[in-house]
Amino acid sequence: MVKSEEGITAKKDENFSEWYTQLILKSDLADYSSVSGCIVFKPLSYAIWENVQKVVDKEFKKIGIKNVYFPLLIPESVLSKEKQHVEGFTPEVAWVTQAGNTKLSEKLAIRPTSETIMYESYSKWIRSWRDLPLKLNQWNNVVRWEFKHPVPFLRTREFLWNEGHNVYSNKKDLEKDKDAITKIYQDFLKNHMALPSILGKKTDHEKFAGAESTYSLELYLPNGKAIQGPDYHDDGQNFAKAYGIKFLNKDGKEEFAYQSTYAITTRMLGIMFAVHSDNNGLILPPRMAPNKIVITPLMFEKDEKILDKAKEIHKSISKYDPILDERTEVSPGWKFHEWELKGIPLRVEIGPKDIEKKQVVLVRRDTGKKTSVKIKDINKNIEKELDDMQANLLKKAQKLLYDNMIEADNLKDAIKGIREGKIVLVPLKNSHQAEKILKEKTGGAKTLNIPLNQLSVKNKKCISTGEQADYWVYVGKSY
Amino acid sequence: MVKSEEGITAKKDENFSEWYTQLILKSDLADYSSVSGCIVFKPLSYAIWENVQKVVDKEFKKIGIKNVYFPLLIPESVLSKEKQHVEGFTPEVAWVTQAGNTKLSEKLAIRPTSETIMYESYSKWIRSWRDLPLKLNQWNNVVRWEFKHPVPFLRTREFLWNEGHNVYSNKKDLEKDKDAITKIYQDFLKNHMALPSILGKKTDHEKFAGAESTYSLELYLPNGKAIQGPDYHDDGQNFAKAYGIKFLNKDGKEEFAYQSTYAITTRMLGIMFAVHSDNNGLILPPRMAPNKIVITPLMFEKDEKILDKAKEIHKSISKYDPILDERTEVSPGWKFHEWELKGIPLRVEIGPKDIEKKQVVLVRRDTGKKTSVKIKDINKNIEKELDDMQANLLKKAQKLLYDNMIEADNLKDAIKGIREGKIVLVPLKNSHQAEKILKEKTGGAKTLNIPLNQLSVKNKKCISTGEQADYWVYVGKSY
């Protein structure tokens, strides 16, 4: 409680980074730990992560995905089988070399992701077309020992995620898989986290190590940086060939399988906190908030009459499992600030005058709007305010994103946009060279993704190389 | 499917160990992995673990326990603060010494348990009596690099568990905490896993490294071995002193806090599989079974009439989310064996004659008992059969345990009982010496726990040392 008794002193639009750090600590979301780059998920943020799991898992189950658990540790020899994949990850792998006082004969990697160990098993389990599709998912922890500056939720050396690993007998089913899973993620971000996102395909330069194509959902942070959210990798037959995942097709011939991997991580929590919150503290979309309502009786010392009424109300709206703040050692104003800081979506105030009028006052966390409602109509009004708040947060986040997306068909305009913190849609050539020049000329921007619905690039020149462009692609400074 | 098409060839009462291994692999519960001592939880066993989490977590929440997540890795210096604790665990710790190509300046332990890293944070978070009680829990993975022979679920180097860590301002609240949590575990084992257990206190010789007292639930395996289930540690002020967890009491004086830790692990899955299953495969208590019912139409080739009726039944009992086995490439008999192997509690058979009689046949997995029931009464009969099966499994498991518990007030009888694979209640002195002698004389038996309701030990001699006994304690060969 000590820390939360003090509000955020930095301003979101002046010093985003300091504001974000204070938000995370003072809203009681997380704390630093004695391991550099790893955070403690406190009850509030962990309950939100449990909500993510619950909703996304339900959608996964609807399309036949089942949960499993594979070992945390991966022998070096297993990790090394797919060349590009291992090159992408080894710089960040945490290695176990010793157990007790015994030096291990082979180093064990803490999973940075589980393709390698899962596909060893897949190659044993899959024999015939009857074994396909195989759709397995893990909700687990992974470690990537990044050396960049760590930021709670947004960049941590250990994070939590889902890692789904599906296997199909043909390319067409894999295509449907991509559509279904990217839809699950995008709908979840929009309808639950109140976050709009840009779905597209990564360029060859930016795709996942070992994948044939990577699809990503890109989001926008209030500090003018793009940030990658959930992703989906079409692995084609790459891993199948490296790990020997073969099946007998209906004609009795052996074929390599087609695979996909997909993930949503605890980074999304950080993005959600950053986009919606304000200088008074945390703002959570009601659908993601573990506690949606706090009831604060307006009393400076214990007042049985008000307290009884507050309890009566507590009971009548029990389906929301509201918090009843009965404390008398702090003032109502103090309580308001504290619950604002902690992001409770709706406050129900009840004072002596309200009792006379048989009403309560509902106060919205996002707008501060106060509405007096009759006690008998409270449930219906709560539902309305929570729905309105959910919609309002999405609308605001959409405005933030769309106001910061522009189109530029020449380098000069693109540079100007990027300097202003925009995501810029530009024509580009599909080459590492084009991305390298883009990065140099713009002071660090990179390609985000190629929108699936493409405008024509006929007669459009690549803004980097001046050659004929291959596609329109979003570029920007990325987190 | 390849493996499951073949039944278990070993007999439970002839070669338990081989039978158990075949059960785990052929019932599709788990598979070995490329990391020695670590298993893959396949969908069936992982869904059962999710059921454990769901039920236990709900009970935890009722008494105010909240979930959190702490880092996987613990710096050596943090791990070493409580002397007894670290001595208990270091022989089994997996150490990360390298990240990417960089040697770490301090070794990091993969958590064998999280007291040390959590209590570092607790010492910062707890300031006043107002911050107490603090009741936090994690559902996570831990690694203990045991060098004993690993067995799926029963002894693995990585396992999943809950680790709860509560903090109180006084001993009395801690006592209540112990009662509440051991009750949650014992009730869960009994009412959901259909497993009776013996609740008692560990001797000082066997208690947890760093605890003041350890309480355990001991179970009995069909191979004549006792095995420890969930446990609860009353840490007193030991860790509080080592990690500086202090609070200002209501009188403004600084005091060390009182703490507890408690856990249920994936080992319980192995115990449940081992106790209930038979030579035909897996038997699951209905409350723990992810799929409770399979509908098998009795047809050798596609028969629309039977299939339509089966679909109609499927719909009418949809609340059980039953499996409808429509396959025609395998015979009904084949299907029966397969679903028996995989432990579906209840089979609904429907054939041409059943349709005429407007009935189905319900077949119980535990007894093989067949009951014809009218289709219109199917829901009520399913419920009854599932309830009866749940009760029957508990009754059988209770018989197994109680038939194998005896009392002996002298060494000769105790040795005889232990040789016969019994759990023996004996009078013993509270000393390391007494336990050492017990182990030697009995060829490896150890103390399990001291039952909470004690008979008098007046005039009873310790069976090991011949001195006056301090308590009646259960002893036996333990897994």
Side-chain angles (χ1 to χ4, degrees):
Chain A
M1 296 302 266
V2 173
K3 275 186 188 154
S4 70
E5 283 162 20
E6 196 188 289
I8 298 173
T9 55
K11 301 286 174 226
K12 185 175 182 179
D13 56 358
E14 289 170 7
N15 187 347
F16 174 81
S17 161
E18 172 62 20
W19 168 83
Y20 179 79
T21 304
Q22 287 195 22
L23 173 76
I24 298 305
L25 296 175
K26 294 185 176 181
S27 302
D28 223 17
L29 289 162
D31 200 0
Y32 294 111
S33 77
S34 47
V35 196
S36 158
C38 298
I39 59 167
V40 178
F41 287 70
K42 296 182 83 171
L44 179 54
S45 66
Y46 196 74
I48 295 170
W49 180 241
E50 287 181 319
N51 282 348
V52 174
Q53 291 181 296
K54 208 166 101 185
V55 179
V56 174
D57 201 70
K58 201 173 157 190
E59 296 302 316
F60 282 172
K61 291 227 160 82
K62 280 185 199 163
I63 58 168
I65 297 168
K66 291 180 174 177
N67 290 337
V68 291
Y69 188 76
F70 275 74
L72 172 74
L73 299 171
I74 307 173
E76 189 178 20
S77 56
V78 175
L79 191 75
S80 311
K81 281 198 184 172
E82 212 289 337
K83 200 170 156 284
Q84 285 180 303
H85 183 72
V86 69
E87 277 173 11
F89 282 106
T90 39
E92 297 177 356
V93 168
W95 291 104
V96 175
T97 60
Q98 187 186 332
N101 291 315
T102 311
K103 194 172 178 296
L104 298 178
S105 58
E106 182 180 14
K107 282 195 293 188
L108 300 171
I110 299 184
R111 61 179 162 229
T113 178
S114 301
E115 277 80 352
T116 57
I117 193 160
M118 292 178 76
Y119 300 169
E120 278 274 299
S121 293
Y122 282 18
S123 72
K124 288 192 292 170
W125 297 345
I126 295 168
R127 290 280 170 268
S128 123
W129 62 272
R130 289 181 205 276
D131 300 325
L132 300 177
L134 181 70
K135 307 185 195 181
L136 301 181
N137 176 60
Q138 299 196 66
W139 291 98
N140 64 19
N141 55 338
V142 289
V143 171
R144 295 180 188 177
W145 212 258
E146 286 201 59
F147 291 91
K148 282 191 206 166
H149 180 63
V151 178
F153 301 107
L154 296 177
R155 192 186 295 120
T156 52
R157 284 174 169 174
E158 181 186 7
F159 58 87
L160 307 178
W161 73 347
N162 98 273
E163 52 171 321
H165 297 266
N166 296 356
V167 191
Y168 292 92
S169 63
N170 62 76
K171 247 181 140 62
K172 219 176 103 192
D173 285 351
L174 192 63
E175 186 73 20
K176 279 189 212 154
D177 181 74
K178 181 207 63 178
D179 292 340
I181 287 163
T182 52
K183 185 171 171 14
I184 287 174
Y185 285 142
Q186 194 164 31
D187 287 354
F188 172 72
L189 298 193
K190 185 180 166 198
N191 300 330
H192 291 266
M193 291 193 142
L195 294 173
S197 57
I198 305 169
L199 172 61
K201 189 175 164 178
K202 288 276 182 192
T203 62
D204 289 338
H205 184 71
E206 290 287 343
K207 73 180 184 188
F208 178 68
E212 203 155 292
S213 314
T214 289
Y215 297 83
S216 69
L217 293 161
E218 303 285 336
L219 295 103
Y220 187 77
L221 288 175
N223 66 346
K225 292 256 172 91
I227 186 164
Q228 190 186 310
D231 53 16
Y232 175 95
H233 310 295
D234 170 348
D235 294 327
Q237 296 176 308
N238 290 350
F239 284 97
K241 284 174 184 168
Y243 289 85
I245 303 172
K246 289 178 281 191
F247 66 98
L248 283 180
N249 66 21
K250 289 188 184 177
D251 303 326
K253 283 192 190 137
E254 206 167 54
E255 274 190 69
F256 285 109
Y258 295 82
Q259 294 182 264
S260 68
T261 68
Y262 44 95
I264 184 170
T265 80
T266 41
R267 164 181 270 196
M268 277 314 305
L269 267 52
I271 301 174
M272 180 177 74
F273 302 148
V275 169
H276 299 309
S277 303
D278 65 14
N279 292 331
N280 295 329
L282 186 63
I283 298 183
L284 290 173
R287 282 186 203 149
M288 294 305 298
N291 290 107
K292 301 186 202 323
I293 295 171
V294 59
I295 303 170
T296 48
L298 299 182
M299 56 186 189
F300 288 87
E301 51 195 28
K302 199 165 176 178
D303 181 327
E304 291 295 350
K305 199 180 155 197
I306 296 182
L307 215 49
D308 283 350
K309 190 48 96 177
K311 282 178 187 165
E312 199 183 305
I313 289 163
H314 187 264
K315 212 170 160 183
S316 74
I317 59 172
S318 63
K319 68 170 169 177
Y320 296 101
D321 195 17
I323 298 167
L324 173 57
D325 188 347
E326 302 185 39
R327 287 176 298 170
T328 50
E329 67 268 23
V330 294
S331 70
W334 180 281
K335 292 182 193 177
F336 298 167
H337 288 301
E338 185 176 327
W339 296 118
E340 275 176 16
L341 187 59
K342 293 191 176 173
I344 304 290
L346 203 59
R347 186 167 78 231
V348 179
E349 295 179 5
I350 173 135
K353 283 183 190 161
D354 298 312
I355 292 181
E356 274 173 33
K357 294 185 196 164
K358 297 184 180 172
Q359 67 175 33
V360 293
V361 178
L362 304 183
V363 189
R364 281 257 296 266
R365 173 63 185 90
D366 57 333
T367 56
K369 194 188 79 170
K370 295 185 172 201
T371 317
S372 297
V373 305
K374 291 292 169 200
I375 290 175
K376 66 177 173 54
D377 300 327
I378 189 167
N379 270 291
K380 156 177 104 184
N381 281 285
I382 283 175
E383 200 177 319
K384 184 186 172 305
E385 292 298 334
L386 292 176
D387 284 349
D388 285 357
M389 178 167 168
Q390 183 79 31
N392 178 50
L393 290 179
L394 175 61
K395 218 172 109 188
K396 279 176 72 176
Q398 283 169 332
K399 185 167 162 36
L400 175 73
L401 174 64
Y402 301 148
D403 283 356
N404 285 288
M405 286 169 75
I406 61 164
E407 202 180 297
D409 66 359
N410 62 79
L411 188 60
K412 201 183 136 207
D413 288 353
I415 291 174
K416 184 169 173 284
I418 285 159
R419 280 207 188 120
E420 289 167 355
K422 309 281 190 203
I423 291 175
V424 189
L425 187 66
V426 302
L428 209 74
K429 192 167 167 57
N430 177 17
S431 78
H432 294 301
Q433 182 64 10
E435 305 229 5
K436 215 181 130 208
I437 295 171
L438 172 78
K439 198 169 176 183
E440 283 167 13
K441 295 269 166 92
T442 57
K446 59 179 205 172
T447 58
L448 306 174
N449 64 26
I450 306 164
L452 300 186
N453 295 321
Q454 280 280 311
L455 299 170
S456 164
V457 281
K458 208 179 148 190
N459 298 327
K460 290 288 174 190
K461 300 254 180 289
C462 168
I463 64 160
S464 290
T465 65
E467 297 164 283
Q468 168 60 40
D470 289 316
Y471 40 62
W472 287 91
V473 58
Y474 286 109
V475 301
K477 292 272 180 81
S478 185
Y479 198 86
Chain B
M1 296 303 267
V2 173
K3 274 185 189 153
S4 69
E5 283 162 20
E6 197 187 291
I8 299 174
T9 54
K11 300 285 175 227
K12 186 175 181 178
D13 56 359
E14 288 170 8
N15 187 347
F16 174 81
S17 163
E18 172 62 21
W19 168 83
Y20 179 79
T21 304
Q22 287 194 23
L23 174 75
I24 298 305
L25 296 176
K26 295 186 177 181
S27 301
D28 222 17
L29 289 161
D31 199 1
Y32 294 111
S33 77
S34 47
V35 197
S36 157
C38 298
I39 59 165
V40 178
F41 287 70
K42 296 183 85 170
L44 178 55
S45 67
Y46 196 74
I48 295 170
W49 180 241
E50 287 181 320
N51 281 349
V52 174
Q53 292 182 297
K54 208 166 101 185
V55 179
V56 174
D57 201 70
K58 200 172 158 193
E59 295 303 315
F60 282 172
K61 291 229 160 81
K62 279 186 198 161
I63 58 168
I65 297 168
K66 290 179 176 177
N67 290 337
V68 291
Y69 187 77
F70 275 75
L72 171 74
L73 299 171
I74 306 173
E76 188 177 21
S77 56
V78 175
L79 192 75
S80 311
K81 280 197 182 171
E82 212 288 337
K83 200 171 155 288
Q84 285 180 301
H85 182 71
V86 70
E87 277 173 11
F89 282 106
T90 38
E92 297 176 357
V93 167
W95 291 103
V96 175
T97 60
Q98 187 187 333
N101 291 315
T102 311
K103 193 171 180 299
L104 297 179
S105 58
E106 183 180 12
K107 282 194 292 188
L108 300 170
I110 298 185
R111 62 180 163 229
T113 177
S114 301
E115 278 79 352
T116 58
I117 193 160
M118 291 179 76
Y119 301 169
E120 278 275 299
S121 292
Y122 282 17
S123 73
K124 290 192 294 171
W125 297 345
I126 296 168
R127 290 280 171 267
S128 124
W129 62 272
R130 289 181 205 276
D131 301 324
L132 299 177
L134 181 71
K135 307 185 194 180
L136 302 181
N137 176 59
Q138 300 194 66
W139 292 98
N140 64 19
N141 54 339
V142 290
V143 171
R144 296 180 188 176
W145 212 258
E146 287 200 59
F147 292 90
K148 281 190 206 165
H149 179 62
V151 179
F153 301 108
L154 296 176
R155 193 186 296 119
T156 52
R157 285 175 168 173
E158 179 185 7
F159 58 86
L160 307 179
W161 72 346
N162 97 274
E163 52 171 321
H165 296 266
N166 296 356
V167 191
Y168 292 92
S169 63
N170 62 77
K171 249 182 138 60
K172 218 176 101 191
D173 285 351
L174 193 63
E175 186 72 20
K176 279 188 213 155
D177 181 74
K178 180 207 63 177
D179 292 341
I181 287 163
T182 52
K183 186 173 170 12
I184 287 173
Y185 286 142
Q186 194 165 31
D187 287 354
F188 172 73
L189 298 193
K190 185 180 165 197
N191 300 329
H192 290 266
M193 292 193 141
L195 294 173
S197 57
I198 305 168
L199 173 61
K201 190 175 164 176
K202 288 275 182 191
T203 63
D204 289 338
H205 184 72
E206 290 287 344
K207 73 181 182 187
F208 178 67
E212 203 154 292
S213 313
T214 289
Y215 297 83
S216 68
L217 292 161
E218 303 285 335
L219 295 104
Y220 187 77
L221 287 176
N223 65 346
K225 291 258 172 92
I227 186 164
Q228 190 187 309
D231 54 13
Y232 175 95
H233 310 296
D234 170 349
D235 295 326
Q237 297 177 308
N238 290 350
F239 284 98
K241 284 174 184 168
Y243 289 84
I245 304 173
K246 290 178 282 192
F247 67 97
L248 283 179
N249 67 20
K250 288 188 183 175
D251 303 326
K253 283 191 190 139
E254 205 166 57
E255 275 190 68
F256 285 109
Y258 295 81
Q259 294 181 261
S260 69
T261 67
Y262 44 96
I264 184 170
T265 79
T266 41
R267 164 181 273 197
M268 278 313 306
L269 267 51
I271 301 174
M272 180 176 74
F273 301 148
V275 169
H276 299 308
S277 303
D278 65 15
N279 293 331
N280 295 330
L282 185 64
I283 297 182
L284 290 172
R287 282 186 201 147
M288 295 305 297
N291 290 105
K292 301 185 204 325
I293 295 170
V294 60
I295 303 170
T296 47
L298 300 183
M299 56 187 188
F300 288 86
E301 50 193 30
K302 198 163 177 182
D303 180 326
E304 290 296 348
K305 200 178 156 199
I306 295 182
L307 215 47
D308 282 351
K309 190 48 98 178
K311 282 178 186 166
E312 199 183 305
I313 289 163
H314 187 264
K315 212 170 162 186
S316 76
I317 58 172
S318 63
K319 68 170 171 178
Y320 296 101
D321 196 17
I323 297 167
L324 174 57
D325 188 346
E326 302 185 39
R327 287 176 297 171
T328 50
E329 67 268 22
V330 293
S331 70
W334 181 280
K335 292 181 192 178
F336 298 166
H337 287 302
E338 185 176 327
W339 297 118
E340 275 176 16
L341 188 60
K342 293 190 175 172
I344 304 290
L346 203 58
R347 185 168 78 231
V348 179
E349 295 179 5
I350 174 135
K353 283 184 188 158
D354 298 311
I355 293 181
E356 273 172 35
K357 295 185 193 162
K358 295 184 180 173
Q359 68 175 31
V360 293
V361 179
L362 303 184
V363 188
R364 282 257 296 268
R365 173 63 185 89
D366 56 335
T367 56
K369 193 188 80 172
K370 295 185 172 202
T371 317
S372 298
V373 305
K374 290 290 168 201
I375 290 176
K376 67 179 173 52
D377 300 327
I378 189 168
N379 270 290
K380 158 177 103 186
N381 282 286
I382 283 175
E383 201 176 318
K384 186 187 170 304
E385 292 299 335
L386 292 176
D387 285 350
D388 285 357
M389 177 168 169
Q390 183 80 31
N392 178 51
L393 290 179
L394 175 62
K395 219 171 109 190
K396 278 176 72 176
Q398 282 169 333
K399 183 165 163 36
L400 176 74
L401 174 65
Y402 301 149
D403 283 355
N404 286 289
M405 287 170 74
I406 60 165
E407 205 179 295
D409 67 357
N410 63 78
L411 188 60
K412 199 183 138 210
D413 288 352
I415 289 175
K416 184 170 172 283
I418 285 161
R419 280 207 189 121
E420 289 167 357
K422 309 279 189 203
I423 292 176
V424 189
L425 187 66
V426 302
L428 210 73
K429 191 168 168 55
N430 177 17
S431 78
H432 294 300
Q433 183 64 9
E435 306 228 4
K436 216 181 128 205
I437 295 171
L438 173 77
K439 199 170 174 181
E440 284 167 11
K441 295 269 166 93
T442 56
K446 58 179 206 171
T447 59
L448 306 173
N449 64 27
I450 306 163
L452 300 186
N453 295 321
Q454 280 281 310
L455 299 172
S456 164
V457 281
K458 207 179 150 193
N459 299 327
K460 290 288 173 189
K461 300 256 182 288
C462 168
I463 63 159
S464 290
T465 66
E467 298 165 284
Q468 168 61 39
D470 289 316
Y471 39 62
W472 286 92
V473 59
Y474 287 110
V475 301
K477 293 272 180 80
S478 185
Y479 198 85

